[in-house]
Amino acid sequence: MNRTAISQQIIDTCLKMSAMGLNQGTSGNISVRFGNGMLITPTSVPYEELSPDDIVYVDNSGDAEAGKNPSSEWRFHLDILKSKPEENVVLHNHAISATAVAVMNKPIPAIHYMVAAAGGNIIPCAPYATYGTQALSDHAVKALSGYKATLLQHHGMITTAKTLEKALWLAQEVEVLAKLYLSILPIMDPAPILSDAHIDEVLHKFRGYGLRDTH
């Protein structure tokens, strides 16, 4: 697929993310592996104003194409893609429920079997660091080791996937699980969770399943 088509898909996914209530304003960002680097949303441009020409190419050395400013979070996008050669997409947003759990610096435990959609028995929470910094990138890469999604303390969430569709689907799943977790905590903390054996069984069933079959 050519650059223009991928760039338009990034914009379409950003618009869907907002329409689904997963993001506010220009706070989210999306990248897709491309050539010897990635294509990523620019900084501080409302999604509805984006055109394919606005999407920024950043090479694997972290150099952006001339005359364009990538998202302030480009470092963790690039580092995550480097650390996960099996994935092609990094999606970041400030979904309200997921961010609320992240403020508490809690991972989402195995309160529901769909936690396994993120690759394990929790959805981890990376420690806080200032946005756009190498420290935040390092925390995110470490938290995502063995997982497809993580919360970022006092910040938001990240999902990774092979395709934009799957990254957006997983972001919605994380937000639903976060909302469910928040509804349980006032009643029972710690929340009841599934055993590792139960999650391992679900992970086995998920292997090889398509996007819409993980239920």
Side-chain angles (χ1 to χ4, degrees):
M1 190 177 296
N2 65 40
R3 173 173 175 169
T4 300
I6 295 172
S7 296
Q8 186 59 56
Q9 286 191 352
I10 290 173
I11 295 167
D12 292 344
T13 305
C14 287
L15 292 169
K16 289 177 185 176
M17 183 165 64
S18 290
M20 293 163 68
L22 295 176
N23 201 58
Q24 306 81 43
T26 61
S27 57
N29 31 76
I30 295 176
S31 65
V32 174
R33 191 186 303 279
F34 184 78
N36 293 315
M38 66 180 179
L39 295 173
I40 188 168
T41 46
T43 187
S44 303
V45 180
Y47 297 152
E48 61 271 15
E49 296 179 11
L50 289 173
S51 71
D53 287 342
D54 294 316
I55 302 302
V56 186
Y57 176 72
V58 179
D59 68 24
N60 279 333
S61 297
D63 295 322
E65 62 185 304
K68 295 185 179 182
N69 294 316
S71 164
S72 60
E73 303 288 19
W74 66 267
R75 283 181 176 81
F76 72 57
H77 283 265
L78 190 62
D79 288 347
I80 291 167
L81 288 172
K82 286 180 179 180
S83 72
K84 288 183 169 291
E86 74 280 9
E87 308 291 18
N88 296 316
V89 176
V90 177
L91 182 152
H92 168 57
N93 63 47
H94 297 175
I96 293 173
S97 294
T99 303
V101 177
V103 166
M104 296 187 292
N105 193 25
K106 286 178 174 285
I108 301 175
I111 52 171
H112 189 282
Y113 70 84
M114 282 304 295
V115 165
N121 62 355
I122 62 168
I123 296 170
C125 185
Y128 178 77
T130 304
Y131 77 92
T133 62
Q134 188 61 52
L136 177 60
S137 181
D138 293 344
H139 290 329
V141 168
K142 184 175 180 180
L144 284 163
S145 178
Y147 298 94
K148 292 177 176 290
T150 186
L151 307 179
L152 302 174
Q153 186 183 9
H154 293 285
H155 190 154
M157 76 156 92
I158 298 172
T159 63
T160 66
K162 287 183 171 61
T163 67
L164 285 160
E165 184 184 16
K166 288 186 177 182
L168 183 60
W169 171 83
L170 182 55
Q172 184 180 36
E173 288 295 327
V174 172
E175 177 66 354
V176 168
L177 289 162
K179 187 174 183 178
L180 176 61
Y181 187 36
L182 290 173
S183 72
I184 294 169
L185 286 177
I187 302 167
M188 188 176 294
D189 185 11
I193 61 172
L194 294 168
S195 68
D196 289 350
H198 286 137
I199 294 297
D200 286 344
E201 184 178 4
V202 175
L203 286 167
H204 180 75
K205 289 173 73 68
F206 279 2
R207 291 191 184 102
Y209 278 20
L211 174 63
R212 301 302 177 195
D213 294 324
T214 52
H215 60 268

